[in-house]
Amino acid sequence: MRARALLLLCSIPLSAGAQSLWRLDSLAATWPVRAALEASHRQSAPGVVRAMDTRDLLPRLRAASPELPVFADTLVARYVDLLGEPRRDELRAALGLCEEYAPLIEGELVRHGLPRQLRYLPLGLSAMNTLAESPEGGAGLWMLTYPVALRYGLRVTADIDERRDPRLSTAAAARHLKDLHARYGDWGMAIMAFACGPANITRAQGRSTGSTAMEALYPHFTAGCRDALPLWMAFTYLAEHAGKLGIAPIHAVPFEPADTIRAATELRISTVSAILQLPKERLQALNSTLCNDRVPAFHALLLPKGEGARFTALGDSVRRAQEALNEAVRKASEPGEDLVARAPDGREAIYYRVRSGDYLGRIAQRFGVKVSQLRTWNRLRGDHIDVGEDLVIYVTPAQRARYERQQEQPVADDPPAEPRPAPPAGVAPAQGFTWYTVKRGDSLYGIAKRYPGVDADSLMRINGIGADIRPGQRLKVPLKP
């Protein structure tokens, strides 16, 4: 029986198992888990790792989650082996964090009348890492997407991401799960919609004769979402049977005692780290909702307990270092002249984002310019433009002022785009792009955060640039299909 199970596991492509490992890699890189793993290695000698028992997976999962649909295929069995043997340390850390967050998560689930077994869902989505980010744009313990976060009142900006706050994100996740269950009337469909999005369900049902079973639908999900449900099953089994399998959780400390400070001016985590001689990763773990190095003025900054007094005592040093850094950033970002680009005849540049129904003739008529000028200014070879693309247009100063005032007014959302036909079998879908105009204070990391599946490295590679960008610069941004 064991040999047959191993034969089935070996028939799965290696890439299928590797897709999920980014969650564990991301978890192991965080400050609390890294410290806990190092302490565990110092305190215990190497021993024999017991092989995972993958027999009777399905009945054991059913016993562990009687209120929820479960499945156990060869990929679930492979993940049990991967997590339980070669990645056991990271598994133990994830299980330890699961126990730490259990009172918070279970309390919220019970408050909304949801099954307690859903407490294991964040294991499959993020490996219990509050700093986790998926290629599809999800973030935090529950991998909430940007639209879902906004719908449930979470703040997501270039500097602050409340999806990384375990308390706020868990409250939003519970409400979202409850709403999805009311919509679908079925826990399997609700969980799939939560973890992978309703669009994945619709597409998968079209390829599986309308099935509603998780095991039938998840193989048809997009690559970035395909492993979430099998991982959830594997984590559920391992968490419920950890004692019998000889897996002892490693307890990292996600909530380090801290002092809170608020500065009247903007700070940088790297500056505070250097002055107080604290690891930057430790400060980032304490301030998980901060998306980058910047701490906005008057925003709470958490420091390890007792370091608040040192920060106050060294306030002058922090201020001088921050002022020097701000001056360096200002000089690097200033183009040396007015940020508004001007044509020889005195016209000034604006950046117009193409909307549904636009074409060059219509845009030229609106701004009183020629189609040939639009082509020249934007290096267009023909008349084709894409929705979402930014076009540079030179207009009179009065037109520019009027246009910028109009841009400050709320506008109705664009009508939904027509669905694109599916590509022929075996042909990869085309990847489009849009243009983004760099504004003062932007960073490549902050720009990439606005577009799901895009990172700073890909922006540098596609645009042939380094990490330094300047206001007014136009960047080509890929749009994931």
Side-chain angles (χ1 to χ4, degrees), residues 210-415:
S211 175
T212 60
M214 287 192 291
E215 61 269 32
L217 293 181
Y218 89 81
H220 302 289
F221 289 169
T222 53
C225 296
R226 200 172 297 146
D227 54 358
L229 297 176
L231 265 175
W232 174 43
M233 292 293 98
F235 269 116
T236 298
Y237 170 75
L238 292 168
E240 284 289 323
H241 299 87
K244 296 178 181 177
L245 296 171
I247 301 173
I250 295 176
H251 288 274
V253 182
F255 307 110
E256 181 181 358
D259 295 334
T260 303
I261 63 170
R262 295 181 187 271
T265 58
E266 176 184 307
L267 293 174
R268 298 279 174 169
I269 291 179
S270 54
T271 303
V272 178
S273 170
I275 297 298
L276 297 184
Q277 297 184 336
L278 294 170
K280 184 178 177 181
E281 296 83 358
R282 186 178 183 184
L283 296 179
Q284 289 172 328
L286 271 170
N287 298 275
S288 59
T289 59
L290 294 175
C291 300
N292 50 51
D293 195 44
R294 179 174 176 267
V295 184
F298 299 106
H299 188 276
L301 175 65
L302 299 183
L303 300 175
K305 194 69 176 176
E307 296 294 336
R310 287 187 63 221
F311 178 89
T312 302
L314 297 172
D316 289 341
S317 298
V318 174
R319 184 171 57 257
R320 285 194 297 269
Q322 189 61 58
E323 288 173 353
L325 178 61
N326 290 343
E327 180 65 15
V329 171
R330 185 189 66 79
K331 289 181 177 179
S333 63
E334 287 290 346
E337 54 187 49
D338 195 345
L339 291 177
V340 178
R342 287 183 170 82
D345 62 357
R347 288 177 172 244
E348 300 177 349
I350 62 170
Y351 294 94
Y352 174 80
R353 177 158 297 181
V354 177
R355 298 172 65 85
S356 178
D358 276 344
Y359 54 92
L360 284 182
R362 182 178 183 179
I363 297 171
Q365 184 178 16
R366 173 179 176 181
F367 292 100
V369 298
K370 297 178 181 179
V371 171
S372 60
Q373 290 176 309
L374 290 178
R375 292 200 198 100
T376 300
W377 294 332
N378 294 279
R379 300 180 182 179
L380 299 174
R381 295 183 179 179
D383 292 340
H384 177 76
I385 51 177
D386 296 312
V387 173
E389 182 177 355
D390 285 335
L391 299 179
V392 61
I393 307 173
Y394 288 91
V395 298
T396 65
Q399 282 180 299
R400 183 178 70 85
R402 183 165 59 251
Y403 177 73
E404 290 179 348
R405 285 197 301 270
Q406 292 172 350
Q407 294 304 102
E408 294 174 356
Q409 302 299 318
V411 297
D413 292 334
D414 284 334

Side-chain angles (χ1 to χ4, degrees), residues 22-55:
W22 67 266
R23 295 173 174 85
L24 295 178
D25 293 337
S26 176
L27 177 71
T30 60
W31 171 265
V33 170
R34 197 168 66 201
L37 290 176
E38 291 174 356
S40 175
H41 293 161
R42 288 195 302 268
Q43 295 169 4
S44 59
V48 177
V49 176
R50 186 188 307 179
M52 294 297 96
D53 183 3
T54 56
R55 297 171 298 177

Side-chain angles (χ1 to χ4, degrees), residues 166-184:
R167 180 181 59 83
L168 295 177
S169 65
T170 298
R175 291 168 58 201
H176 187 34
L177 281 165
K178 187 174 182 178
D179 290 345
L180 287 171
H181 186 256
R183 172 181 173 182
Y184 290 103

Side-chain angles (χ1 to χ4, degrees), residues 351 353 378-381 384 386 388-391 431-438 444 447-448 451 453-466 469-470 472-480:
Y351 294 94
R353 177 158 297 181
N378 294 279
R379 300 180 182 179
L380 299 174
R381 295 183 179 179
H384 177 76
D386 296 312
E389 182 177 355
D390 285 335
L391 299 179
Q431 178 172 300
F433 68 89
T434 187
W435 291 92
Y436 178 84
T437 303
V438 178
L444 282 178
I447 295 169
Y451 299 91
V454 177
D455 56 29
D457 288 339
S458 65
L459 289 179
M460 287 189 282
R461 184 175 63 255
I462 291 169
N463 292 276
I465 60 175
I469 54 177
R470 65 182 185 278
Q473 184 176 356
R474 299 180 74 222
L475 300 180
K476 189 175 183 179
V477 182
L479 297 176
K480 299 298 182 181

